[in-house]
Amino acid sequence: MADATKSTLLDRVFAAKSTEESRKLYDEWAKSYDADMAEHEFTAPRLVAEAVARGLKLNHLPNQKEALAKTSILDAGCGTGLVGIELARHGAKKIDGLDLSEGMLDIARKTGAYEDLKIADLTKRLPIVDGTYDAVTCCGTFTHGHLGPEPLAEFVRAVKTSGIVVATVLDSHWQEKGFEKEVERLRSDGQVEVMENDLHAYRKDAGGGRILVLRKVSGANTER
């Protein structure tokens, strides 16, 4: 029965037709989400944290933890805080989080990884001043029943010049939902440099997707 319930919740989340439906489903899932992801050997949060260090060119520094401690990071769609936990393990201390679900945020608060956590709808303009963060992460939200590529431009707006956006994108979504086209638009408009766009198998029995790393270039005009 428990396995059937997990499967049903996952299926319902993937099939969600509205923001409000997604919110309610994640509130329902919050308490068992971390255990379910561990069972699926979901390694994307660790891969995202490692990509942040690479993207900011901190991974080869002898004082990587000290450097990352000074780095401001927004975890967009932070859920229960799995990415925040991994970033904290790498030394990050200045992490904020946004999520649609108060239930998920309640769990994230208990991790102690975040300075600030707020409710936000990633399909809308973020309540953030341009160029606030050194990095924005987004793990597990560019998938079935969730987001198309539109928030990428908002994430770019939220980071400083030379700041980075690190996101996971389900591989079947990459062309089907227009991610390839949007990334190329951001690149050709002179807003970003594509630093990484590699496939990773980050979930057992379900494959994975791309780890996308974008760097905001000097002089980028990100007003929307």
Side-chain angles (χ1 to χ4, degrees), residues 83-94:
V83 171
I85 291 169
E86 292 292 341
L87 287 167
R89 285 175 180 160
H90 282 71
K93 297 182 182 299
K94 300 167 63 177

Side-chain angles (χ1 to χ4, degrees), residues 57-86:
K57 303 186 186 306
L58 305 178
N59 55 314
H60 295 306
L61 295 179
N63 62 337
Q64 176 185 318
K65 284 197 170 185
E66 289 83 353
L68 201 56
K70 301 174 184 177
T71 300
S72 57
I73 303 171
L74 175 67
D75 186 12
C78 64
T80 58
L82 294 176
V83 171
I85 291 169
E86 292 292 341

Side-chain angles (χ1 to χ4, degrees), residues 25-206:
L25 288 167
Y26 274 111
D27 283 345
E28 181 181 347
W29 198 4
K31 289 183 179 179
S32 63
Y33 181 85
D34 287 359
D36 292 349
M37 290 301 100
E39 185 175 315
H40 285 292
E41 298 178 11
F42 187 55
T43 60
R46 175 179 57 80
L47 295 173
V48 165
E50 292 170 354
V52 169
R54 287 196 306 274
L56 293 173
K57 303 186 186 306
L58 305 178
N59 55 314
H60 295 306
L61 295 179
N63 62 337
Q64 176 185 318
K65 284 197 170 185
E66 289 83 353
L68 201 56
K70 301 174 184 177
T71 300
S72 57
I73 303 171
L74 175 67
D75 186 12
C78 64
T80 58
L82 294 176
V83 171
I85 291 169
E86 292 292 341
L87 287 167
R89 285 175 180 160
H90 282 71
K93 297 182 182 299
K94 300 167 63 177
I95 313 170
D96 294 336
L98 301 176
D99 200 82
L100 187 67
S101 163
E102 185 61 50
M104 289 286 192
L105 291 179
D106 285 344
I107 305 298
R109 287 187 186 96
K110 296 174 183 176
T111 69
Y114 296 87
E115 287 192 328
D116 188 37
L117 289 162
K118 292 179 180 173
I119 288 280
D121 181 351
L122 300 185
T123 66
K124 304 184 184 305
R125 184 178 176 88
L126 300 179
I128 294 168
V129 175
D130 293 8
T132 297
Y133 292 95
D134 295 304
V136 171
T137 61
C138 187
C139 180
T141 63
F142 292 129
T143 187
H144 299 299
H146 290 61
L147 302 175
E150 295 78 13
L152 287 174
E154 270 294 276
F155 298 163
V156 173
R157 182 185 67 78
V159 297
K160 303 170 184 176
T161 298
S162 295
I164 61 169
V165 174
V166 180
T168 63
V169 183
L170 186 70
D171 193 42
S172 61
H173 268 34
W174 181 251
Q175 289 191 4
E176 179 186 337
K177 299 296 182 181
F179 281 88
E180 183 175 40
K181 183 177 180 181
E182 176 63 2
V183 169
E184 175 56 25
R185 182 189 73 80
L186 292 169
R187 190 201 63 77
S188 62
D189 284 355
Q191 296 189 43
V192 303
E193 169 194 357
V194 181
M195 300 182 71
E196 295 183 25
N197 181 14
D198 300 320
L199 286 170
H200 295 263
Y202 50 65
R203 191 176 138 207
K204 184 182 71 173
D205 302 327

